[in-house]
């Protein structure tokens, strides 16, 4: 079938494509209204950036080194990284970072640096760590030791001490959880350091998986300090989680001296190879830059505290209807007994064993929470 609309030739295929896209858009608008189980902020607006999707932008190579590929957004990426360097109190003289495709890539980059620094090492992480850590250990062929976790989702330090004694003489590399996936547990950097001190361990590497909480804790009064004033070595933070983005992205932060060990010059693109990926998404730095410019430190602080307050509200509502629920300090992840399948599907709840959770992001308002609790009450009566 062929026809003309406003002087433009349309075929049946064009009509079908338009119809499918419209249907998918309606589905997305419906699903986002009950999007509770995953740590992604669905409340953002980036229409000012849409024109940049007309170009084949690519931040190939090192974010601080020029390239012969000129269609990029390096200057915006550098400003984003400067914001995070200040937030995480790492001296500019020894700072390096880049915008990643998500938390897993940030974790891989940090642990890759660790393995290159200490080839004869052992990777330690808790049983409640994100699944990416196990995968990364396999990819990098690192000996991995899974440390049991406490009921709160943090690393069991007594078990860690035993496991360290069993591997004396091997440099420990840690992937510490700054907010676990299901429970929101935060591993204590100070407590791990105390265990290392007790066992006389001088050489170690600490990577922090701060996918979601990396943009929560810096803005919460009295929260655990996770920054480079402590002897940490790298941090991975997601951009699509707290900040919010239409595409997954993140930030990897580390020390310049570590990156220099892996740097290789690439003649073809006239730049340095320092990242996990070669070609890199150049749209994500624009998204993060725009969010920082529009919301700033004070805006992020207000949002972080609102998320925490709403998480407490959800916890109290669940307890109020007789539902068993848990909420760690400085956490926006509310864990509770697994509800019926209809509820889990309708509200897109992440579930593990006999527990489900809601991650209270910016779009999870009290009104949304009240709808969820009313729905839950109807199903459990």
């Amino acid at each position: 079938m062929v026809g003309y609309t406003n002087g433009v030739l349309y075929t049946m295929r064009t009509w079908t494509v338009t119809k499918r896209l419209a249907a998918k858009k309606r589905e997305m608008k419906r699903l986002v209204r009950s999007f509770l189980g995953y740590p992604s902020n669905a409340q953002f607006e980036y229409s000012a950036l849409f024109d940049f999707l007309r170009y084949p932008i690519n931040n190939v190579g090192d974010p601080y080194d020029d390239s012969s590929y000129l269609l990029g957004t390096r200057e915006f990426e550098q400003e984003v990284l400067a914001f995070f360097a200040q937030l995480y109190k790492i001296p500019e003289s020894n700072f390096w970072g880049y915008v990643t495709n998500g938390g897993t890539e940030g974790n891989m980059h940090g642990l890759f640096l660790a393995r290159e620094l200490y080839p004869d090492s052992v990777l330690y992480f808790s049983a409640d760590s994100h699944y990416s850590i196990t995968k990364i250990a396999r990819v990098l062929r690192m000996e991995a030791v899974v440390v049991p976790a406490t009921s709160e989702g943090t690393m069991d330090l007594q078990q860690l001490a035993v496991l360290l004694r069993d591997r004396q003489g091997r440099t420990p590399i840690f992937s510490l959880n700054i907010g676990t996936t299901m429970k929101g547990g935060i591993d204590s950097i100070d407590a791990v350091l105390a265990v290392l001190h007790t066992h006389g361990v001088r050489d170690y590497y600490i990577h922090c998986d701060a996918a979601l909480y990396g943009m929560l804790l810096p803005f919460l009064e009295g929260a655990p300090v996770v920054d480079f004033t402590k002897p940490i070595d790298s941090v991975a933070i997601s951009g699509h989680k707290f900040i919010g983005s239409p595409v997954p992205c993140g930030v990897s932060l580390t020390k310049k001296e570590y990156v220099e060990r892996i740097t290789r010059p690439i003649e073809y693109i006239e730049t340095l190879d320092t990242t996990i990926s070669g070609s890199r998404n150049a749209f994500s730095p624009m998204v993060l830059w725009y969010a920082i410019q529009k919301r700033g430190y004070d805006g992020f602080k207000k949002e972080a505290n609102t998320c925490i307050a709403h998480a407490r509200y959800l916890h109290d509502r669940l307890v109020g209807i007789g539902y068993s629920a848990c909420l760690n300090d400085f956490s926006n992840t509310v864990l509770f007994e697994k509800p019926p399948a209809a509820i889990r599907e309708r509200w897109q709840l992440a579930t593990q064993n006999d527990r489900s959770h809601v991650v209270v992001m910016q779009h999870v308002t009290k009104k949304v929470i009240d709808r969820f609790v009313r729905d839950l009450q109807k199903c459990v009566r």
Side-chain angles (χ1 to χ4, degrees), residues 58-62 65-70 74 269-271:
N58 190 330
N59 281 3
V60 60
D62 190 279
D65 193 63
D66 292 334
S67 166
S68 58
Y69 196 105
L70 301 182
R74 273 180 171 77
I269 51 176
E270 297 183 17
T271 188

Side-chain angles (χ1 to χ4, degrees), residues 15-303:
W15 177 82
T16 302
V17 168
T18 302
K19 185 177 180 181
R20 284 197 64 188
L21 290 176
K24 192 63 179 179
K25 184 176 179 179
R26 289 194 299 271
E27 180 187 42
M28 293 289 187
K29 290 179 71 173
R30 173 179 61 82
L31 289 174
V32 80
R33 291 197 292 267
S34 56
F35 180 55
L36 296 190
Y38 294 88
S40 290
N41 174 13
Q43 185 175 287
F44 54 78
E45 208 286 315
Y46 295 116
S47 59
L49 305 178
F50 288 175
D51 280 346
F52 290 95
L53 295 173
R54 299 175 182 271
Y55 308 103
I57 53 178
N58 190 330
N59 281 3
V60 60
D62 190 279
Y64 297 101
D65 193 63
D66 292 334
S67 166
S68 58
Y69 196 105
L70 301 182
L71 286 167
T73 62
R74 273 180 171 77
E75 66 273 35
F76 292 92
E77 183 174 17
Q78 291 168 14
E79 290 184 38
V80 169
L81 296 170
F83 170 83
F84 279 95
Q86 185 176 16
L87 191 65
Y88 276 82
K89 298 180 172 58
I90 181 169
E92 186 177 349
S93 59
N94 193 28
F95 166 72
W96 188 91
Y98 79 102
V99 174
T100 67
N101 292 306
T104 294
E105 184 179 345
N107 288 335
M108 179 172 284
H109 193 266
L111 295 177
F112 174 50
L113 295 176
R115 192 203 64 183
E116 293 299 286
L117 185 63
Y118 297 113
D120 185 28
S121 55
V122 179
L123 172 62
Y124 296 84
F125 57 94
S126 91
D128 278 18
S129 295
H130 188 262
Y131 67 86
S132 68
I133 306 302
T134 301
K135 176 171 60 178
I136 290 165
R138 291 173 59 201
V139 171
L140 296 177
R141 295 187 179 277
M142 301 176 73
E143 181 180 340
V145 175
V146 180
V147 183
T150 67
S151 59
E152 291 78 25
T154 59
M155 183 178 286
D156 187 321
L157 299 174
Q158 291 184 333
Q159 292 297 317
L160 172 62
V162 172
L163 294 167
L164 282 171
R165 282 198 300 269
D166 292 343
R167 292 161 180 80
Q168 286 183 341
R170 305 279 300 281
T171 303
I173 293 171
F174 294 93
S175 180
L176 299 185
N177 296 309
I178 311 304
T180 56
T181 305
M182 282 302 296
K183 301 176 183 176
I186 301 170
D187 289 333
S188 169
I189 296 172
D190 291 338
V192 170
L193 290 172
V195 173
L196 295 176
H197 178 74
T198 299
H199 287 78
V201 178
R202 295 183 178 181
D203 293 329
Y204 54 85
Y205 185 106
I206 295 177
H207 171 73
C208 295
D209 180 0
L212 170 59
Y213 289 50
M215 276 297 290
L216 277 174
L217 299 188
F219 305 104
L220 301 178
E221 196 71 33
V225 174
V226 180
D227 60 34
F228 286 86
T229 61
K230 295 182 179 293
I232 64 174
D233 299 286
S234 55
V235 179
I237 304 163
S238 294
H240 58 284
K241 291 187 169 69
F242 180 82
I243 294 177
S245 168
V247 292
C249 60
V251 172
S252 177
L253 310 175
T254 189
K255 300 176 181 179
K256 188 184 299 183
E257 62 187 280
Y258 298 158
V259 177
E260 290 171 350
R261 299 174 64 91
I262 67 164
T263 301
R264 301 290 185 272
I266 307 299
E267 181 181 6
Y268 167 66
I269 51 176
E270 297 183 17
T271 188
L272 302 174
D273 181 30
T274 50
T275 65
I276 295 296
S277 52
S279 291
R280 295 191 298 107
N281 185 339
F283 184 69
S284 293
M286 298 290 293
V287 167
L288 299 179
W289 178 87
Y290 188 80
I292 291 167
Q293 301 306 311
K294 297 292 285 187
R295 290 143 71 187
Y297 182 94
D298 290 340
F300 290 141
K301 181 176 182 179
K302 181 178 180 181
E303 291 175 26

Side-chain angles (χ1 to χ4, degrees), residues 349-373:
L349 302 181
T351 300
Q352 190 173 69
N353 299 323
D354 60 345
R355 310 291 271 179
S356 298
H357 75 194
V358 166
V359 186
V360 182
M361 305 303 294
Q362 289 90 326
H363 62 279
V364 185
T365 62
K366 286 186 176 180
K367 184 177 180 180
V368 173
I369 290 170
D370 288 341
R371 280 201 297 121
F372 169 68
V373 173

Side-chain angles (χ1 to χ4, degrees), residues 317 321-323 337 339-340 343 370-381:
R317 286 296 318 272
I321 65 170
Y323 229 73
E337 58 184 288
I343 291 289
D370 288 341
R371 280 201 297 121
F372 169 68
V373 173
R374 284 197 300 270
D375 201 12
L376 185 62
Q377 278 183 297
K378 292 176 185 176
C379 285
V380 298
R381 281 175 181 167

